[in-house]
Amino acid sequence: MGEQMQFIVEKLNQEPFRKNYNLISFDSLEPLQLLQLLSDVLGEIDSKHAVDIREELPEQTAKRMLNLLGILKYKPPGTVSDLSAFRQGLVTGSKTVIHPVLHWLLQRTSELKTRAYLARFLVKLEVPAEFLQDDTVADFNKQYEELMEAFKNLHKEHEQLKISGLSTAEIRRDISAMEEEKDQLAKRVERLKKRVETVQNHQRKLEIARQHRLEKEREESLAQQKQEQKSQLFHAEQRLQRAQVQLKEMQHVVADSKPESLMKKLEEEINFNSYLVNEKIPREMESKKTSVYFLQKVVAEPAMTQADLTALESEIEEVNAQINQLTEKRIITYEPTDSKFSMYRQQASIISRKKEAKAEELQAAKEEMSSLEKQVEQKNSQAHELGGSEVLTEDEFKQYVSKLRSKNTFYKKKRQEIAEITAECGVLQRTEELLRQRHEATQQQLQAIEEKKGISGYSYTQEELERVSAVKSEMDEVKGQTLDNMSEMVKKLNAMVAEKKASLAPVIKELRQLRQNCQEVKGLLEECAQEESNYHYINCMKRSLEVQLQRAKEEMKAYVSPDPQERRRAVREQYTRIILEQENLGKKLREKQKVVRESHGPNMKQMKMWQDFEKLMECKRECFLKQQNQAAIGQIIQEGGKDRLVL
């Protein structure tokens, strides 16, 4: 405890608390001061808890602190009874409760700050299952969970970026590199502009290219909108299909079933449930109670030694032997007429055991079927979220297997062709290598012959001239082909723009209608939200008025009560007492004011006399000091004259 208090005092004396405590002053804090100190520490972790506990009720303070400690995952030591003592100690400000909490909080303040910050966004709001049956509420709940997951991912990325710690020098280098790249791109753009300016009608072609780009962007946005509309339509169709399936099932049940069959099914279900309630469950409860009784009896008994266990085992063996003897006697003395009853009893016991087994199997099958249905629903929802389709039927699965086999055959064929092409490529590479070697040998021989003839470098010059002429012809051909391609591209662009406009016209028309529907839906949703807000506001006002009415009734009841103690609790009586106390206090203050006014003149006169007396005494003191100084100077002069006479 001493080390714990020392640690708490050191932490509280540091930033941001700066309490300037020592062990004695900290140990002498009152319960209310301890609670305020705990509230300040919690307020440093979560700013919402930086409050003055004198402005709230003790129950509210304890509830607020317990909620935050639960979010921070603080585990009080001990059992359930200790937990109740912990809550009571937190309300009363007990040192034995608050000191460990402060020690735990101050040990991990930064970690708890992060946890409190995340709890504001990650504490999931539980929605009742009956509300999730509504598609709108389910969609909003799904969006809420997706946003929560997105927040988790963003927070993880933020933490990773903080850990990675990119330095400012690296950022500056990246910025300078990007600026250089920007300059290079600007230069390239300028060069391309100059090259384009030499082309005829370049402005018109640039305008056409710009229009084409805008149309492409518009096409992409429309395609995205179309995809979103398709997704919404798909979800709507899924909901419609589920509703249709439920409707078909209900219609099938209604069409195929008659009142007699329905009554029969209901009777079977009632019989099964009555068997469970009247026979099976009471029997199981009785057996459990018996087991619990024996276990409690065993627990209540003192600890047994090995000798006690041996004695109990011998006693059990004796009792079993007596049971066997009695059973044999009963079988011997059994009358033959009762043999039929014993047979019936055995059959009845066998049937009852089979009945119990079948009931357990039926119950297990129902539970398994419900769990499998839930799993199927979960898998279907996961498949829809991942963009998949419904679960394949048997015929669809066979078709899928046949397609997979054909694709496998096609893959094997192509892989064989690739192997053949690879082998042929190896042969060609070897041929190329041999031809290159021959070419090098021929070149060496040609160079040797040119050196002998005195025309060294003739073949190289000839090759260069041929290469330059070939390059020039290719450039001329490319220029002509480029102009042809540009004119052809312009024609294609014009045709594509016209085609896209024609193809997008019905989509735009449909999109307009969908936008109108969307606006109507948004208006209805806003109206619904407004009505819901009005409903909640009216409901809150109603509750407030009910509370005020209840208070008024209690006040009237207390005011007209014959019990004087009860009447004193009335607000009117309390305010009457307060008014009387304030009137008495005002009367005393007025009397005091009157006395002060009456004595003000003499007191001021006496104060002036004392001030004059003080000035007089100060003047006398100064005169006395001057007189002493003059006497001392005269004495010094006399002593100096005597010394001169002596000399």
Side-chain angles (χ1 to χ4, degrees):
M1 290 297 291
E3 294 178 357
Q4 187 183 80
M5 287 180 63
Q6 183 68 30
F7 176 78
I8 294 171
V9 170
E10 289 177 358
K11 287 292 184 180
L12 291 175
N13 291 336
Q14 296 174 3
E15 292 288 344
F17 304 105
R18 302 186 68 180
K19 295 294 184 179
N20 295 326
Y21 286 143
N22 53 33
L23 292 176
I24 297 173
S25 60
F26 177 72
D27 190 51
S28 61
L29 290 176
E30 297 294 331
L32 187 63
Q33 295 174 335
L34 273 177
L35 284 174
Q36 183 62 54
L37 183 60
L38 178 59
S39 180
D40 294 341
V41 175
L42 293 176
E44 180 63 27
I45 294 171
D46 190 354
S47 59
K48 293 190 298 183
H49 293 265
V51 297
D52 190 353
I53 62 173
R54 292 173 296 182
E55 297 178 357
E56 58 183 0
L57 296 175
E59 293 80 6
Q60 295 176 350
T61 304
K63 185 178 179 181
R64 175 172 59 81
M65 292 181 178
L66 286 171
N67 288 335
L68 184 56
L69 290 174
I71 291 172
L72 300 178
K73 297 182 180 179
Y74 175 72
K75 295 181 179 179
T79 59
V80 178
S81 60
D82 295 331
L83 290 177
S84 60
F86 171 79
R87 295 190 186 94
Q88 186 65 27
L90 191 63
V91 173
T92 58
S94 175
K95 295 180 182 179
T96 57
V97 173
I98 294 179
H99 285 182
V101 177
L102 287 173
H103 184 262
W104 186 80
L105 292 174
L106 295 171
Q107 275 183 329
R108 45 183 68 84
T109 307
S110 59
E111 176 187 351
L112 296 177
K113 282 183 180 179
T114 306
R115 189 175 295 173
Y117 168 73
L118 294 176
R120 290 163 53 190
F121 306 100
L122 299 181
V123 174
K124 189 175 181 182
L125 180 63
E126 296 295 336
V127 182
E130 57 269 16
F131 292 161
L132 290 175
Q133 300 297 326
D134 189 2
D135 294 335
T136 306
V137 177
D139 292 338
F140 280 126
N141 188 48
K142 185 178 178 181
Q143 292 178 8
Y144 168 67
E145 293 176 352
E146 290 175 354
L147 290 173
M148 189 179 291
E149 292 296 328
F151 175 76
K152 288 181 183 178
N153 297 328
L154 288 175
H155 181 72
K156 288 179 182 177
E157 292 177 2
H158 174 68
E159 293 296 328
Q160 290 175 359
L161 289 174
K162 286 173 64 177
I163 294 170
S164 62
L166 292 175
S167 62
T168 55
E170 293 178 357
I171 295 172
R172 288 196 185 98
R173 284 197 297 271
D174 293 339
I175 292 171
S176 61
M178 286 189 285
E179 288 178 351
E180 291 176 0
E181 187 176 356
K182 179 182 176 182
D183 295 337
Q184 293 176 1
L185 290 173
K187 291 177 181 178
R188 288 182 64 184
V189 169
E190 289 295 329
R191 287 198 299 269
L192 290 173
K193 282 183 179 180
K194 291 179 180 179
R195 289 178 61 184
V196 170
E197 287 175 356
T198 58
V199 181
Q200 295 179 355
N201 298 327
H202 66 279
Q203 291 292 341
R204 183 171 176 275
K205 292 176 180 178
L206 287 174
E207 186 65 27
I208 292 170
R210 191 179 296 110
Q211 290 179 1
H212 176 66
R213 178 174 56 79
L214 294 174
E215 291 295 332
K216 290 286 286 184
E217 292 177 355
R218 186 180 177 189
E219 181 185 2
E220 290 177 357
S221 65
L222 289 173
Q224 186 177 1
Q225 292 178 5
K226 185 178 179 182
Q227 188 66 28
E228 292 176 356
Q229 296 292 335
K230 282 184 178 180
S231 176
Q232 294 177 3
L233 181 62
F234 174 75
H235 290 300
E237 288 177 352
Q238 291 295 321
R239 291 196 294 268
L240 179 62
Q241 288 179 2
R242 287 196 294 269
Q244 287 177 352
V245 169
Q246 293 177 358
L247 180 61
K248 287 181 180 179
E249 289 178 355
M250 297 300 295
Q251 289 177 352
H252 180 70
V253 170
V254 172
D256 294 344
S257 60
K258 296 180 181 179
E260 294 82 3
S261 60
L262 289 174
M263 289 296 294
K264 187 176 180 181
K265 289 181 181 178
L266 288 174
E267 287 177 357
E268 291 177 355
E269 188 173 357
I270 290 169
N271 291 331
F272 176 71
N273 292 329
S274 60
Y275 167 72
L276 291 177
V277 173
N278 297 327
E279 297 183 14
K280 189 173 184 296
I281 295 175
R283 195 181 304 119
E284 291 179 354
M285 288 179 63
E286 191 66 30
S287 63
K288 296 293 182 183
K289 286 180 181 179
T290 306
S291 302
V292 169
Y293 170 74
F294 284 118
L295 290 173
Q296 290 176 350
K297 189 176 180 181
V298 170
V299 170
E301 290 181 356
M304 300 179 69
T305 60
Q306 187 65 32
D308 296 333
L309 291 173
T310 306
L312 284 174
E313 288 177 355
S314 61
E315 186 176 355
I316 289 168
E317 290 177 357
E318 291 177 359
V319 171
N320 288 331
Q322 291 178 3
I323 290 170
N324 293 329
Q325 291 176 3
L326 292 172
T327 304
E328 291 176 358
K329 289 180 180 179
R330 184 171 177 273
I331 292 170
I332 293 170
T333 58
Y334 219 109
E335 293 182 1
T337 55
D338 294 337
S339 60
K340 293 182 180 180
F341 293 107
S342 64
M343 180 177 66
Y344 293 148
R345 290 193 190 96
Q346 291 176 358
Q347 291 178 356
S349 63
I350 292 169
I351 290 169
S352 64
R353 284 196 295 271
K354 287 183 178 180
K355 186 177 180 181
E356 291 177 359
K358 293 299 179 183
E360 291 177 356
E361 290 178 1
L362 179 60
Q363 191 172 0
K366 285 185 176 180
E367 293 175 356
E368 185 178 2
M369 186 176 70
S370 62
S371 64
L372 289 174
E373 287 177 353
K374 291 180 180 178
Q375 290 179 6
V376 168
E377 290 179 358
Q378 292 176 358
K379 297 297 182 184
N380 286 331
S381 62
Q382 291 176 3
H384 291 320
E385 290 175 358
L386 296 174
S389 58
E390 294 286 339
V391 179
L392 298 177
T393 60
E394 186 176 358
D395 296 334
E396 292 175 348
F397 184 72
K398 287 180 180 179
Q399 292 177 2
Y400 173 73
V401 170
S402 63
K403 287 181 181 179
L404 190 62
R405 286 176 181 172
S406 62
K407 287 182 179 180
N408 190 16
T409 306
F410 181 73
Y411 166 72
K412 289 180 179 179
K413 183 179 179 182
K414 292 298 179 183
R415 189 173 62 180
Q416 185 177 1
E417 291 178 359
I418 290 171
E420 293 175 356
I421 292 170
T422 305
E424 187 176 356
C425 181
V427 173
L428 292 173
Q429 286 177 354
R430 179 61 180 165
T431 305
E432 181 186 5
E433 186 178 356
L434 293 174
L435 291 174
R436 188 181 296 109
Q437 291 176 0
R438 289 181 184 178
H439 177 68
E440 290 176 357
T442 305
Q443 286 292 113
Q444 290 176 1
Q445 291 177 3
L446 182 60
Q447 289 177 2
I449 292 169
E450 288 176 354
E451 288 177 357
K452 285 181 181 181
K453 299 295 183 180
I455 53 172
S456 179
Y458 174 77
S459 60
Y460 177 74
T461 305
Q462 184 68 26
E463 288 178 358
E464 285 295 320
L465 289 173
E466 291 177 356
R467 187 177 63 80
V468 170
S469 61
V471 169
K472 183 177 180 299
S473 62
E474 288 178 359
M475 289 295 292
D476 294 337
E477 185 179 356
V478 167
K479 287 180 180 178
Q481 190 175 2
T482 302
L483 292 173
D484 296 336
N485 289 336
M486 289 181 69
S487 61
E488 187 178 355
M489 185 184 296
V490 170
K491 292 179 181 178
K492 288 183 178 178
L493 288 174
N494 291 328
M496 288 174 64
V497 168
E499 184 181 355
K500 293 297 181 182
K501 284 183 178 179
S503 61
L504 291 174
V507 177
I508 294 170
K509 186 176 180 181
E510 183 181 357
L511 183 61
R512 288 174 183 169
Q513 184 65 30
L514 292 174
R515 282 178 178 170
Q516 292 177 359
N517 295 335
C518 183
Q519 291 295 330
E520 292 177 3
V521 172
K522 284 183 179 179
L524 291 174
L525 288 175
E526 291 176 357
E527 185 178 355
C528 180
Q530 183 67 28
E531 293 297 332
E532 187 176 357
S533 176
N534 293 335
Y535 166 73
H536 289 302
Y537 174 74
I538 293 169
N539 196 9
C540 291
M541 292 296 294
K542 179 184 174 184
R543 291 180 182 175
S544 177
L545 291 173
E546 287 177 353
V547 171
Q548 293 177 4
L549 182 61
Q550 184 65 26
R551 288 179 180 175
K553 288 181 179 178
E554 292 177 357
E555 175 67 18
M556 182 60 70
K557 182 179 178 182
Y559 181 69
V560 301
S561 176
D563 189 3
Q565 296 293 334
E566 187 69 24
R567 190 179 298 170
R568 284 198 191 94
R569 295 179 184 175
V571 178
R572 180 172 179 178
E573 293 293 332
Q574 293 178 6
Y575 280 115
T576 304
R577 287 197 301 272
I578 293 171
I579 290 168
L580 290 174
E581 291 175 359
Q582 294 298 323
E583 288 178 352
N584 294 329
L585 180 60
K587 188 182 292 184
K588 291 179 181 178
L589 291 173
R590 283 193 294 273
E591 293 175 356
K592 189 175 181 181
Q593 184 182 14
K594 183 178 179 182
V595 172
V596 170
R597 284 179 179 175
E598 291 175 353
S599 61
H600 180 262
N603 289 336
M604 291 297 293
K605 186 176 181 181
Q606 188 177 5
M607 186 179 71
K608 190 173 184 306
M609 292 172 65
W610 277 107
Q611 289 176 353
D612 295 338
F613 178 73
E614 185 181 2
K615 290 179 181 178
L616 180 62
M617 295 302 293
E618 182 67 25
C619 183
K620 286 183 178 182
R621 187 177 69 83
E622 291 177 357
C623 293
F624 178 74
L625 291 174
K626 287 181 180 179
Q627 188 177 3
Q628 282 186 347
N629 290 332
Q630 291 176 358
I633 291 169
Q635 187 177 359
I636 292 169
I637 292 170
Q638 290 177 2
E639 289 177 357
K642 290 179 181 180
D643 292 337
R644 287 176 184 173
L645 290 173
V646 172
L647 292 172

